[in-house]
């Protein structure tokens, strides 16, 4: 196992950092507020815990935001194995156990949202609700997916073991391109410092990123083709928020969950692309407050 990153953490004085040992590895956890309704916040690619900093700045009252780095990402320890969805779900559930949390609200973006669906299907009793951002649900209609497969062209440069790690480590322009071209208005969304941070973090996490994508190819795509998820039902109240201008997960890919979910609503954010926590943090905050009631520790009331 490799040690966690020695890169300096992004400067966010509101977050407290710790490194709990979970399933034999050290995960990095950034925690905001510390009191209130607990929310587990799962980041996507090519980001880490700092993906939530704009959202956290607007949720200072009534919520306890738990923002881990996924295994091998950011400042969490990397391993040779464990990057499949089931392994990452095991990490997340073990983290909740280590924190002494029986039930939490769940928020996920991009890969973190894909993982969030897996968690809700595997352990629905652990989650009071789920806010999924910029990710299709587990039952996408093939007629919506197939015409849009070309939009995932960039995964061919990431998923293969040798090529993917080389690209992510030595071609910073690739990560920079994805960040800028997967939002609706790059100039209004990213600062130079944020782009530099995520490019540097992705270079350091290249092995984990490539392994995550490769595990998806080996296990998730075949399961999708077989329709494995159709044997499962989503019972956790879920709000799926997409960007109307998302050029990765387009709006047509968000339909079709009705036969497989008790309470899944879909909502589009006009003018937004693939990074809602960065592009439209106010809409994400509004959805959080709609789905998860804030807890007042002074009155002990929800």
């Amino acid at each position: 196992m490799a040690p966690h990153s020695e890169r300096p953490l992004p400067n966010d004085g509101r977050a407290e950092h710790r490194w709990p040992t979970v399933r034999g590895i050290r995960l990095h956890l950034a925690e905001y507020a510390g009191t209130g309704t607990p929310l587990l916040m799962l980041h996507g690619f090519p980001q880490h815990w700092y993906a939530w900093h704009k959202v956290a700045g607007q949720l200072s009252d009534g919520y306890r935001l738990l923002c881990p780095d996924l295994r091998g990402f950011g400042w969490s320890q990397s391993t040779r194995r464990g990057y499949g969805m089931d392994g990452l779900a095991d990490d997340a559930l073990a983290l909740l156990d280590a924190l002494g949390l029986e039930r939490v609200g769940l928020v996920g973006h991009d890969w973190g949202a894909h993982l969030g669906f897996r968690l809700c299907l595997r352990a629905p009793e652990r989650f009071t609700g789920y806010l999924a951002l910029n990710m299709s649900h587990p039952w996408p209609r093939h007629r919506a997916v197939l015409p849009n497969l070309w939009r995932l062209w960039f995964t061919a440069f990431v998923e293969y073991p040798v090529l993917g790690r080389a690209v992510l480590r030595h071609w910073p322009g690739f990560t920079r391109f994805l960040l800028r071209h997967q939002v609706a208005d790059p100039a209004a969304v990213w600062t130079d410092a944020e782009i530099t941070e995520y490019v540097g973090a992705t270079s350091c996490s290249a092995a984990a990123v490539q392994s995550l994508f490769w595990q998806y190819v080996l296990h998730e795509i075949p399961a999708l083709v077989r329709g494995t998820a159709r044997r499962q039902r989503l019972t956790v109240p879920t709000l799926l928020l997409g960007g109307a201008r998302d050029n990765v997960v387009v709006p047509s890919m968000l339909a079709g969950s009705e036969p497989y979910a008790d309470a899944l609503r879909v909502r589009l954010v006009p003018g937004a692309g693939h990074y809602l926590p960065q592009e439209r943090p106010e809409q994400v905050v509004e959805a959080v407050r709609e789905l998860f009631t804030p807890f007042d520790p002074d009155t002990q009331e929800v």
Side-chain angles (χ1 to χ4, degrees):
M1 292 189 295
H4 63 275
S5 176
E6 295 182 356
R7 297 175 61 253
L9 290 159
N11 184 21
D12 189 343
R14 300 163 302 174
E16 296 184 3
H17 302 275
R18 45 179 162 157
W19 284 262
T21 298
V22 172
R23 301 180 66 224
I25 68 168
R26 293 181 70 200
L27 292 184
H28 169 245
L29 175 66
E31 183 171 342
Y32 290 88
T35 59
T37 299
L39 302 179
L40 180 63
M41 318 278 285
L42 302 175
H43 67 83
F45 163 79
Q47 296 180 286
H48 47 61
W49 67 273
Y50 195 62
W52 302 108
H53 74 283
K54 285 190 173 182
V55 173
Q58 301 181 42
L59 282 177
S60 58
D61 298 324
Y63 296 95
R64 176 188 178 190
L65 307 186
L66 305 164
C67 308
D69 288 332
L70 300 181
R71 174 187 295 246
F73 285 71
W75 287 261
S76 285
Q77 196 167 22
S78 62
T79 58
R80 293 184 62 185
R81 298 179 179 84
Y83 297 100
M85 283 298 115
D86 285 326
L88 295 176
D90 288 339
D91 288 348
L93 294 172
L95 176 62
L96 295 182
D97 291 340
L99 297 174
L101 295 170
E102 187 63 30
R103 298 187 79 209
V104 300
L106 182 62
V107 182
H109 171 252
D110 185 72
W111 276 107
H114 185 69
L115 174 57
F117 277 112
R118 180 62 54 87
L119 284 165
C120 288
L121 291 172
R122 273 190 51 181
E125 72 282 358
R126 303 298 297 268
F127 304 104
T128 60
Y130 178 37
L131 175 60
L133 308 171
N134 300 110
M135 178 52 62
S136 60
H137 53 73
W139 312 278
R141 294 170 175 168
H142 288 179
R143 64 176 180 269
V145 173
L146 293 177
N148 289 293
L149 286 178
W150 66 271
R151 298 179 184 277
L152 301 177
W153 61 267
F154 61 91
T155 63
F157 292 90
V158 179
E159 59 200 19
Y160 296 104
V162 176
L163 175 64
R165 298 183 189 199
V167 167
L168 295 169
R169 283 176 179 152
H170 305 299
W171 190 11
F174 176 77
T175 303
R176 188 175 294 111
F177 175 87
L178 295 181
L179 289 167
R180 292 191 180 280
H181 286 78
Q182 291 177 356
V183 296
D185 185 357
V189 171
W190 303 110
T191 66
D192 290 341
E194 288 167 335
I195 292 284
T196 299
E197 170 56 40
Y198 294 130
V199 168
T202 299
S203 177
C204 291
S205 301
V209 173
Q210 180 274 315
S211 295
L212 173 64
F213 276 77
W214 187 236
Q215 289 300 309
Y216 184 84
V217 171
L218 292 180
H219 302 291
E220 302 299 314
I221 291 179
L224 183 63
V225 172
R226 293 192 303 266
T228 301
R230 294 175 185 171
R231 298 193 293 267
Q232 299 175 293
R233 187 165 189 83
L234 181 66
T235 59
V236 177
T238 299
L239 175 58
L240 177 52
L241 214 60
R245 294 177 60 187
D246 191 331
N247 58 15
V248 180
V249 181
V250 296
S252 63
M253 296 171 64
L254 305 183
S257 66
E258 293 82 1
Y260 311 103
D262 290 346
L264 191 156
R265 295 172 291 143
V266 175
R267 185 180 303 162
L268 294 178
V269 178
H274 188 65
Y275 289 89
L276 284 175
Q278 185 77 21
E279 296 180 76
R280 296 290 192 275
E282 62 280 358
Q283 269 90 348
V284 175
V285 168
E286 180 181 335
V288 166
R289 295 191 181 279
E290 175 184 338
L291 197 56
F292 310 108
T293 304
F295 173 73
D296 186 342
D298 295 325
T299 64
Q300 300 293 301
E301 293 180 355
V302 174

